[in-house]
Amino acid sequence: MRGWLTGESVNKREIYEIMIRALPLGFSIVDESGVIIDFNETAEEITGYSKNEVIGKSHIQMFHGTSDSDACPLLSQALRRRQAVTESEITVKNKNGKVVIVSVTAAPLVNDKGLFVGGVELFRDITEIKRLERERSNILSMFAHDMKTPVVTAVGFLSRLISGKSTGGQQDLELIRDELKTVESLIGDFLQFARFEAREYRPVLKPFNLAAVLGKQIENAKVMAGEKTISVQSEFVDDDSSTIAADEAMISRVISNLIENAIKYTASEGTVVVRLLNRDNDVLVQVQDTGIGISSDNLPFIFDAFYRVSRDQKGSGLGLSIVKTIIEKHGGEIWAESELGKGSTFSFTLPKAR
């Protein structure tokens, strides 16, 4: 850099490489046909792909899984219309298939002769920012509606009892109790979620047999399933090979939540299958049902705190969010696959080595 300051010749390529590596944004250049010709380290972190894996590949096929250029501002604006675009929000899929929300700024590239030669894209991962925005909206909805409604109802019936206008007697008291229990449950879920978010809960890791815990949870769930004539089946062997180091109480809660949800959203005569697969570095647990399924519009958000597919759903919408937090605190992963009207499969992994 001293030579540059004193007017000596400088290797422009070296300066370019230093600047691109230092960028806190994903950076990518494509040629006029949309083929990737450069990719920086931040782009590798966001997408999960190494530079060598993407160079020479179609940008839109790699990250959008389509040939429709309208799905990508880099191609639709910078290449096709040759216009710049600023802070456009889109979704891409990373190497692991996870949907990532990114904010994109793109522009066409011209050489020193004024000829169009491709496009450049800067992008940043805003997935977490968008999740927090959704959670804020969801929590406002919960407090404004789900907590207000039972409180207003309980106060109304109490006022009637106090004024002597009520003729319901014991029935009114039971209704007030039920409404207040609803509020108590919502507050309890919220406080527990807050403790998880504040990192107050840490897993107490001890060896235990995961297959035995699964078997116990399945037996407990059969009572609930029997009321709807739903078959709960297991596909695993209960032996010592499934012993892992984890917090048994936390993992039991995860399993219970997933099985209960599967039964809840499965119609009579349906089936719930619980699987345990022993793999090289981790164990995989799957809870599959033949229930109502989840639409593709709702599926990406089901692990968000306070999120509910329908306003008619009861509860805080924190169950799956807490489940996800527990699994991630154990170093595992959790995801869901579903097709509307055909059922869902919730899967999670737990590492063997700690």
Side-chain angles (χ1 to χ4, degrees), residues 8-293:
E8 295 176 12
S9 62
V10 63
N11 188 326
K12 293 181 180 179
R13 182 68 191 181
E14 288 182 5
I15 295 176
Y16 167 84
E17 293 290 350
I18 292 170
M19 291 176 62
I20 297 313
R21 280 200 304 270
L23 270 178
L25 302 171
F27 171 86
S28 178
I29 293 180
V30 299
D31 64 18
E32 62 271 22
S33 61
V35 171
I36 301 168
I37 59 176
D38 205 356
F39 208 66
N40 75 345
E41 292 176 8
T42 306
E44 290 179 326
E45 294 172 8
I46 293 173
T47 65
Y49 289 100
S50 69
K51 182 176 180 177
N52 290 336
E53 289 177 301
V54 301
I55 294 295
K57 303 287 180 61
S58 165
H59 171 92
I60 196 162
Q61 288 290 350
M62 284 291 295
F63 303 117
H64 301 281
T66 179
S67 57
D68 181 10
S69 63
D70 287 333
C72 173
L74 175 61
L75 271 65
S76 64
Q77 298 294 323
L79 296 193
R80 195 169 67 190
R81 298 183 179 90
R82 301 187 186 179
Q83 298 174 346
V85 58
T86 303
E87 295 290 327
S88 175
E89 290 183 13
I90 60 168
T91 58
V92 297
K93 281 192 176 181
N94 68 10
K95 188 176 181 178
N96 296 325
K98 181 181 177 182
V99 174
V100 180
I101 305 172
V102 294
S103 176
V104 175
T105 295
L109 282 178
V110 295
N111 63 17
D112 52 5
K113 296 180 181 179
L115 299 175
F116 171 73
V117 292
V120 61
E121 178 182 59
L122 295 171
F123 55 97
R124 59 190 178 98
D125 185 350
I126 58 171
T127 307
E128 183 66 9
I129 293 172
K130 302 306 288 186
R131 181 186 70 83
L132 292 172
E133 287 179 358
R134 291 193 303 270
E135 286 186 1
R136 182 174 61 184
S137 174
N138 291 339
I139 192 173
L140 289 173
S141 173
M142 186 190 82
F143 279 106
H145 179 268
D146 301 281
M147 291 190 72
K148 180 181 177 181
T149 300
V151 169
V152 169
T153 302
V155 169
F157 276 89
L158 275 173
S159 297
R160 289 177 61 188
L161 284 169
I162 292 170
S163 66
K165 295 179 180 178
S166 172
T167 57
Q170 183 69 22
Q171 186 177 0
D172 284 356
L173 288 172
E174 289 175 357
L175 188 147
I176 292 168
R177 178 201 61 194
D178 292 343
E179 294 295 327
L180 293 178
K181 278 188 174 182
T182 298
V183 176
E184 180 185 35
S185 176
L186 290 170
I187 292 173
D189 284 349
F190 176 73
L191 291 176
Q192 190 165 53
F193 169 75
R195 293 189 188 105
F196 273 115
E197 287 291 287
R199 304 183 186 277
E200 290 182 21
Y201 281 179
R202 295 180 182 273
V204 179
L205 305 182
K206 293 182 180 179
F208 75 93
N209 189 321
L210 182 58
V213 172
L214 282 169
K216 182 179 178 180
Q217 292 292 343
I218 289 170
E219 289 304 311
N220 291 341
K222 283 182 177 179
V223 176
M224 177 182 175
E227 296 173 359
K228 297 175 67 176
T229 60
I230 292 172
S231 171
V232 182
Q233 303 170 7
S234 61
E235 293 184 2
F236 56 86
V237 177
D238 186 353
D239 58 26
D240 291 337
S241 65
S242 61
T243 296
I244 61 170
D247 189 310
E248 183 175 348
M250 283 189 176
I251 300 304
S252 294
R253 175 171 183 168
V254 168
I255 296 165
S256 173
N257 183 287
L258 295 180
I259 294 176
E260 287 179 9
N261 276 355
I263 295 170
K264 180 179 179 180
Y265 294 108
T266 298
S268 297
E269 309 299 330
T271 303
V272 173
V273 180
V274 182
R275 298 187 185 90
L276 171 61
L277 300 175
N278 215 326
R279 309 196 300 186
D280 291 339
N281 299 315
D282 60 26
V283 292
L284 170 67
V285 177
Q286 293 183 317
V287 179
Q288 181 178 20
D289 64 61
T290 57
I292 60 176

